[in-house]
Amino acid sequence: MKKQGKGQFSGSTESWIHRAWRRFLRHRLAVGAAVVIGLLYLVAVFAPWLAPYDPIDDIFVTRRLDGPSLQHPFGVDEVGRDLLSRVIWGSRISLTVGFVAASISLVLGVTFGALAGYFGGVIDTVIMRIVDLLMAIPPILLIIAVVAALGPSFTNVIIVIGATGWTQYARVTRGEFVSLREEEFVESARALGSKTTRIVFYHILPNCLAPIIVLATLNVATAVLIETSLSFLGFGVQPPVASWGNILTPGRQYLRHAPHIATIPGIAISITVLAFNLAGDGLRDALDPKMDV
Amino acid sequence: MTQFVIRRLILSVFIILGVSVIVFMLMHMAPGDPVRVVAGLDAPPEVVEAIRQEWGFDQPLYTQYLRWLRRAARLDFGRSAITGETVAYSIMSRLPNTIKLNLSAYAFALLVGIPLGIVSALKHYSTVDYVATVGALVGISMPSFWLGLILIIIFSVNLGWLPSFGAGTLAHYVLPTLALGTAQVALLMRVSRSSMLEVMQKDYIRTARSKGLGERLVIYKHMLKNAAIPVVTVIGFRLAYVVGGSVIIETVFSWPGIGRLAVNSLHSRDYFVTQGVVFLSSLCIVLVNLLVDVSYAFLDPRVRYS
């Protein structure tokens, strides 16, 4: 038997958030991941002060392709730029895309899912068929094709990843709304004459926050992976601006003589994505272990 | 049952039509004259004019779309602006390579992921479980193209054991299979583990044990069978990606498949080719999902009424 946790038998005065928070703190890996995420965002925010050199303009021609050294801990790239500085600046791109794209997906998905689940009928059918449609096209292929057609840029990458990634939110939110709209507390709110917006935002939505929070955390991980893939293939953020994905692209040509170029940015990507995945898993266990996301 | 199949069939047709609209619109999303876009930027004026006539670019949008759809239904997506080959030929000559690579990664995922998940669940909270669980999370978190580059650095550049680009011999399959399959191994491991853990707590397992059934029999006869359902779902839906799932890995390993074809066509703005690949890989997803759903309805009558 597993040892019973401290918060298990606490009185009903303790709030749901409080209990979830305690359960999350018991999940050591997840807490570690949350700390890592916090540090990554600090690095992104303070990039200009943390980076030892300018990521674009400081070029050390004589040290091109040099491996890691004291002066350049991550080595030097094929142009002669300090890789540590480029990785630090690159964190801004990946973390911004991850956060903003996941937020766009969240707003779209929750809105559509709520509409479908609350009103049902034609609205439900139309929205869920759009979901089916979006899920019928291989995601990477759809995103690359649309970004390439619109023109690769930071903004387009964010918009396209955000606008294509909302289907999971819609499905989950719809499911919660369908089961909650018939509940007694919603019925009584309706009988008391509450407005629809009040019922939705005040009575139903707070009750389906748990799976949405978990999904959002995991969604940031996916968005970061997609952005780095796009930039790696040349359809994302364009050089000389540094992104973790586009630093790796020229690294492919120097696998023998300068393997650090193709290695180090990938470690940064993996750590970031892993941190969000771990935090998401921990949140799921803390908020609702039975959750199906 | 017949009603379920017909309903599901109609839905699939609508999804395919929806996909065709999106695919058709791709060339209109690009800035500039769509004829110049599909003809290639440096096409001579008479070629541009011929394509304008052939595809009816001077007609209203819906006429263009219907014309495009009629041809797409016969798998005629036009000709590549770069090579002059028909798109259908470009795709069909590369499709077997893509399918073979994806099936290889798929088999790798099944053979490693499922047993790992089962063992992890049976030895819950053990070191094996812990390592496999964390390992699976790491596997899902690594970008596949980066894993591919690392594998090339280790096994091709340094050890010189395996080729790093192209297809041909069996040895060519090893690295792309590992790079493509690792995330799928991790996914299957997680699904089969959690499914097993859930089944293990069920009352009928306790009943089976209490009536004196040997542990081996309990595992084989009661647990695995019941835990298989969610795993089979994931396996079924993963199969849908055998055509469109290896876009990035094919680029890393210069694999002569349709994923690389799609990326190259996007780089050279060869829109007819892009349209063909996107449409075909979506078609594959819709068809596989349809098959999975219908065979489900056969196996589990509850599905038909939900």
Side-chain angles (χ1 to χ4, degrees):
Chain A
M1 248 343 253
K2 241 179 100 178
K3 227 177 86 188
Q4 290 287 357
K6 238 176 148 186
Q8 212 86 8
F9 298 109
S10 53
S12 55
T13 43
E14 200 183 14
S15 74
W16 169 78
I17 301 236
H18 207 106
R19 260 177 299 158
W21 179 239
R22 282 227 205 147
R23 274 196 300 244
F24 183 73
L25 286 182
R26 276 210 305 272
H27 210 303
R28 265 175 298 155
L29 272 175
V31 174
V35 172
V36 169
I37 293 172
L39 289 176
L40 285 166
Y41 273 99
L42 284 179
V43 168
V45 169
F46 295 104
W49 293 276
L50 289 171
Y53 304 99
D54 187 275
I56 298 172
D57 292 332
D58 282 342
I59 296 173
F60 305 88
V61 184
T62 50
R63 299 216 174 82
R64 281 182 66 232
L65 300 177
D66 273 7
S69 61
L70 270 181
Q71 209 188 345
H72 303 286
F74 285 4
V76 183
D77 76 358
E78 75 288 350
V79 177
R81 295 168 297 200
D82 178 57
L83 212 55
L84 174 61
S85 309
R86 287 184 68 74
V87 170
I88 289 176
W89 277 84
S91 69
R92 288 190 155 191
I93 304 281
S94 289
L95 293 174
T96 310
V97 172
F99 186 76
V100 179
S103 308
I104 294 174
S105 298
L106 183 141
V107 172
L108 288 175
V110 170
T111 309
F112 287 145
L115 286 172
Y118 190 81
F119 292 109
V122 186
I123 299 177
D124 184 23
T125 313
V126 170
I127 290 174
M128 293 325 282
R129 289 303 82 81
I130 297 175
V131 169
D132 287 338
L133 175 59
L134 272 178
M135 294 177 80
I137 307 176
I140 280 285
L141 213 47
L142 174 67
I143 292 168
I144 305 178
V146 176
V147 170
L150 296 174
S153 75
F154 182 60
T155 326
N156 285 347
V157 167
I158 292 183
I159 293 173
V160 176
I161 296 178
T164 49
W166 54 270
T167 50
Q168 194 80 19
Y169 292 103
R171 289 188 143 190
V172 170
T173 311
R174 175 184 175 274
E176 296 281 329
F177 265 70
V178 166
S179 60
L180 286 172
R181 75 175 167 205
E182 310 296 341
E183 289 279 326
E184 272 169 34
F185 67 93
V186 176
E187 291 286 343
S188 55
R190 212 175 282 137
L192 286 170
S194 293
K195 280 197 203 124
T196 307
T197 44
R198 188 178 158 84
I199 295 175
V200 168
F201 285 105
Y202 196 79
H203 294 290
I204 304 184
L205 207 52
N207 279 298
C208 41
L209 273 184
I212 294 172
I213 292 170
V214 175
L215 262 185
T217 315
L218 299 173
N219 188 206
V220 176
T222 316
V224 169
L225 273 182
I226 297 176
E227 182 275 322
T228 50
S229 309
L230 281 182
S231 297
F232 173 72
L233 292 174
F235 299 112
V237 179
Q238 298 296 307
V241 174
S243 115
W244 289 343
N246 73 18
I247 301 173
L248 286 165
T249 316
R252 259 184 93 191
Q253 260 100 59
Y254 305 99
L255 293 181
R256 183 176 300 275
H257 302 293
H260 61 279
I261 302 175
T263 314
I264 292 170
I267 298 174
I269 302 171
S270 303
I271 290 175
T272 308
V273 177
L274 181 63
F276 278 102
N277 279 335
L278 273 172
D281 271 15
L283 278 174
R284 169 175 38 211
D285 293 347
L287 293 171
D288 178 7
K290 283 209 171 315
M291 195 184 297
D292 191 28
V293 288
Chain B
M1 182 69 206
T2 334
Q3 206 192 347
F4 171 81
V5 174
I6 291 173
R7 220 175 47 219
R8 201 56 195 69
L9 214 63
I10 294 172
L11 177 61
S12 300
V13 171
F14 274 104
I15 293 175
I16 290 170
L17 283 176
V19 169
S20 74
V21 173
I22 293 180
V23 170
F24 169 76
M25 287 310 290
L26 275 179
M27 58 183 166
H28 290 274
M29 270 181 222
D33 183 357
V35 193
R36 295 222 62 108
V37 167
V38 293
L41 290 178
D42 37 46
E46 56 273 19
V47 175
V48 174
E49 207 39 52
I51 291 182
R52 194 190 299 277
Q53 290 296 323
E54 185 190 352
W55 294 87
F57 277 116
D58 40 5
Q59 318 254 319
L61 207 57
Y62 70 91
T63 328
Q64 284 181 46
Y65 166 68
L66 288 178
R67 192 184 283 217
W68 184 85
L69 186 66
R70 263 203 302 278
R71 296 181 67 160
R74 279 173 278 139
L75 296 182
D76 173 7
F77 299 100
R79 279 173 187 281
S80 159
I82 309 292
T83 61
E85 285 172 355
T86 66
V87 173
Y89 175 79
S90 304
I91 291 177
M92 287 310 162
S93 58
R94 290 170 178 84
L95 190 59
N97 284 328
T98 294
I99 293 180
K100 278 190 265 179
L101 174 60
N102 276 287
L103 284 183
S104 159
Y106 188 70
F108 168 54
L110 291 186
L111 292 176
V112 179
I114 295 176
L116 211 58
I118 295 172
V119 171
S120 245
L122 290 176
K123 299 198 182 301
H124 198 196
Y125 296 127
S126 71
T127 319
V128 179
D129 180 33
Y130 193 74
V131 170
T133 317
V134 174
L137 259 174
V138 174
I140 291 176
S141 305
M142 280 187 295
S144 62
F145 58 91
W146 178 70
L147 179 61
L149 293 174
I150 297 296
L151 290 171
I152 294 176
I153 291 176
I154 298 173
F155 293 102
S156 305
V157 174
N158 286 321
L159 295 171
W161 289 352
L162 292 160
S164 63
F165 61 88
T169 65
L170 268 183
H172 284 99
Y173 279 86
V174 180
L175 296 185
T177 298
L178 287 175
L180 187 59
T182 299
Q184 297 177 37
V185 170
L187 176 74
L188 271 185
M189 181 267 162
R190 278 163 67 99
V191 174
S192 38
R193 176 176 176 272
S194 64
S195 172
M196 272 296 275
L197 284 179
E198 206 185 311
V199 169
M200 281 159 69
Q201 299 170 347
K202 286 280 160 67
D203 287 339
Y204 56 77
I205 296 297
R206 204 168 11 165
T207 314
R209 283 214 181 94
S210 60
K211 75 182 184 192
L213 222 55
E215 189 60 25
R216 191 175 280 251
L217 220 65
V218 173
I219 293 174
Y220 283 112
K221 225 180 141 181
H222 294 270
M223 287 186 193
L224 293 186
K225 230 171 158 183
N226 287 296
I229 300 164
V231 181
V232 170
T233 315
V234 173
I235 296 174
F237 289 117
R238 278 301 319 174
L239 198 61
Y241 289 91
V242 290
V243 171
S246 53
V247 175
I248 304 167
I249 285 302
E250 286 184 17
T251 309
V252 172
F253 289 94
S254 307
W255 191 265
I258 64 165
R260 184 157 151 261
L261 180 70
V263 170
N264 287 346
S265 74
L266 281 162
H267 274 300
S268 53
R269 303 196 153 266
D270 198 354
Y271 274 86
F272 280 153
V273 176
T274 313
Q275 286 182 320
V277 177
V278 176
F279 190 66
L280 217 71
S281 40
S282 307
L283 201 65
C284 173
I285 292 182
V286 175
L287 289 181
V288 172
N289 284 348
L290 174 69
L291 283 178
V292 171
D293 277 357
V294 169
S295 45
Y296 250 55
F298 263 113
L299 298 175
D300 186 351
R302 279 173 301 183
V303 175
R304 285 171 230 165
Y305 303 106
S306 61

